[in-house]
C-alpha cells in the first residue's frame, strides 16, 4: 500500500467516524429505528447479571420483540454501560402513544418519544449517558464494517486499489448506514460479522494450500458470534460448507471439508449453541423466531411477490436513508438519484460478470472467491424476502449484512468499462454526492425537524 493510498484510506475512516458521531449526537434519544426497544434489552441484561428475559406476547416488556433476538450485541453493550445508574430510564423513555411510526404524513406526529430536554442535555448522565456510550460502541462496529469493505475489495479486485477506496467510501458515506451505526441496534454487530465472514471465506478460497487450523478456528469463532448476533447469519453456514467442499475438491484433499467442518462447526456450536438450547427449553423452538413473531406481529396474510413488489419503494428508501421511526424521508428527488446510481452500478456489475464469463477473462481460480461476494448478497436478499413475507419489514437496511459486497460491486459496476485513469471522473462525483447529502442530512433534515417539533410543542 502506497503512502498516498494509506492517506486516503485513513481519511475515509476518519470521515466515517466524524459523521457517525454527528449522527449519534444529533439524533434524539430513542428516535432511531427500534432503539426504544433495543436499549431496554441492554438495560435489562445490565441490571440482571446478564440473565435473559422471558418473553410473554400477552404482556410485552419495554424491549418487546428484541428480547427474542440473539443476545451478543446486548450483552456487549450491557458490559460497557452496566456501571451507569439508569434508574431514570422510565422518566427519559416516555413513549408517545400518538406517534406515526412507519407512516409518512405532512405535519405528522414524528416523535416516538415525549422528550425531556434537561435529561438528554450534555453533559450526559444516567440513561442518556448509557445510550450514548452504546451508540459509540455501535459506531466502532460500523468502522470495522467499512474497513472490511476495503479489505474485501483488495482481495477480489487486487489490480484495482482505487476501487477498494471508492467502495469503502460508498459504505462510509451511505446515510442509512451512518444513521444505524449511530444508534443502539444489534444490526451493527451482525453487519460487521456478516461482511467479515464474507472476507474470511474469500480468503479461504484464495489460498492454494490446505488452510491452517488457525483459519478454521477464526472462521468458527466468527460464525458462532454471528449466530449470537442475529438469526439471519445462520444462512451463512451453507456458504461456509460449500466453500470447504470446494476447497477439498480443488486440493483433492478431504481434510478441509472434514477437519475444517469439525473445527469451525464445533466452535460455532460451542459459542452459540447454549442460546438455541435455551430457546428450545423455554419455547420448544431453538430459534425463538415464533415468539419474536408473536410479539412483533405477523401479517394477516403472508405477502406474495406482488405485495412485496408493491413495497419496493420503502425497501430502497431504507437502504439509502429513512430516518426517525421510518417516518422521516428524504425528498423524492434524492431517492430517484440514489436509485439511478445504484441501479446503474448493479447493472454494470452484471454486465461485467457476463462479459468476463463470455470472454473467459477470469480463471476458475479467480472466480471461486469472487463468487462468494455475489452469492452472499443473493442469499441475504432471498432470506429478506422470506422474512418480510411473514411480518412487515420492507427495509433495505436489513441486507446490510452483505453491504461490503454490494458496495464493491455497485461502485465497480459504474467504472469497470472505463480506462483506469478515467474511472475517477465517474467515481468522484458519485462519492461527492453521497458525502454531501450525508453531511447535510443531520442538520437540514434530522436536527431541523427536531427543532420544528420542539417549537410546535412550545406553542
Amino acid at each position: 500500500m502506497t503512502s498516498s493510498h494509506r492517506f486516503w484510506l485513513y481519511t475515509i475512516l476518519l470521515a466515517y467516524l466524524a459523521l457517525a458521531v454527528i449522527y449519534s449526537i444529533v439524533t434524539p434519544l430513542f428516535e432511531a429505528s427500534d432503539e426504544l426497544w433495543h436499549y431496554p434489552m441492554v438495560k435489562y441484561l445490565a441490571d440482571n447479571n446478564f440473565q435473559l428475559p422471558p418473553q410473554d406476547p400477552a404482556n410485552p416488556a419495554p424491549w418487546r420483540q428484541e428480547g427474542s433476538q440473539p443476545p451478543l450485541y446486548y450483552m456487549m453493550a450491557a458490559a460497557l454501560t452496566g456501571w451507569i445508574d439508569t434508574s431514570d430510564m422510565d422518566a427519559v423513555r416516555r413513549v408517545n402513544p400518538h406517534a406515526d411510526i412507519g407512516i409518512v404524513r405532512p405535519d405528522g406526529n414524528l416523535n416516538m418519544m415525549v422528550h425531556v430536554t434537561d435529561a438528554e442535555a450534555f453533559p450526559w448522565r444516567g440513561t442518556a449517558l448509557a445510550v450514548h456510550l452504546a451508540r459509540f460502541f455501535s459506531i466502532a462496529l460500523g468502522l470495522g464494517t467499512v474497513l472490511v469493505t476495503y479489505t474485501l475489495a483488495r482481495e477480489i479486485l487486487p489490480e484495482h486499489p482505487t476501487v477498494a477506496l471508492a467502495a469503502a467510501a460508498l459504505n462510509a458515506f451511505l446515510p442509512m448506514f451512518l444513521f444505524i451505526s449511530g444508534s443502539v441496534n444489534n444490526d451493527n454487530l451482525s453487519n460487521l460479522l456478516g461482511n467479515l465472514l464474507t472476507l474470511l471465506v474469500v480468503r479461504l478460497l484464495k489460498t492454494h494450500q490446505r488452510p491452517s487450523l488457525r483459519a478454521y478456528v477464526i472462521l468458527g469463532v466468527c460464525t458462532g458470534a454471528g449466530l449470537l448476533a442475529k438469526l439471519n447469519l445462520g444462512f451463512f453456514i451453507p456458504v461456509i460448507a460449500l466453500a470447504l467442499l470446494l476447497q477439498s475438491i480443488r486440493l483433492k484433499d478431504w481434510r478441509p471439508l472434514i477437519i475444517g467442518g469439525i473445527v469451525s462447526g464445533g466452535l460455532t456450536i460451542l459459542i452459540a449453541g447454549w442460546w438455541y438450547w435455551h430457546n428450545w427449553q423455554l419455547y420448544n423452538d431453538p430459534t425463538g423466531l415464533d415468539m419474536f413473531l408473536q410479539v412483533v406481529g405477523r401479517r394477516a396474510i403472508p405477502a406474495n411477490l406482488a405485495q412485496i413488489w408493491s413495497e419496493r419503494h420503502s425497501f430502497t428508501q431504507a437502504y439509502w436513508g429513512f430516518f426517525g421511526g421510518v417516518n422521516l424521508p428524504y425528498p423524492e428527488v434524492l431517492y430517484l438519484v440514489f436509485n439511478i446510481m445504484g441501479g446503474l452500478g448493479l447493472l454494470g456489475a452484471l454486465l461485467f460478470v457476463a462479459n468476463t464469463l463470455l470472454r473467459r477473462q477470469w480463471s476458475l481460480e479467480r472466480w471461486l472467491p469472487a463468487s462468494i461476494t455475489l452469492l452472499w448478497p443473493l442469499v441475504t436478499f432471498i432470506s429478506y424476502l422470506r422474512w418480510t413475507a411473514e411480518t412487515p419489514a420492507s427495509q433495505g437496511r436489513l441486507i446490510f449484512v452483505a453491504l461490503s459486497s454490494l458496495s464493491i460491486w455497485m461502485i465497480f459496476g459504474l467504472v469497470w468499462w472505463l480506462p483506469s485513469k478515467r474511472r475517477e471522473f465517474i467515481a468522484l462525483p458519485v462519492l461527492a454526492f453521497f458525502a454531501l447529502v450525508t453531511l447535510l442530512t443531520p442538520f437540514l433534515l434530522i436536527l431541523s425537524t427536531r427543532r420544528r417539533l420542539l417549537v410546535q410543542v412550545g406553542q
Side-chain angles (χ1 to χ4, degrees), residues 288-301:
L289 190 58
D290 183 66
M291 182 60 64
F292 184 103
L293 288 169
Q294 286 186 51
V295 176
V296 74
R298 288 181 167 89
R299 291 181 188 260
I301 301 174

Side-chain angles (χ1 to χ4, degrees), residues 86 167 297:
T86 56

Side-chain angles (χ1 to χ4, degrees), residues 53-56 67-68 278-286 288 290-291:
Q55 291 290 86
D56 182 3
S68 298
H278 164 84
N279 287 333
W280 177 264
Q281 289 182 308
L282 282 183
Y283 313 121
N284 202 32
D285 172 16
D290 183 66
M291 182 60 64

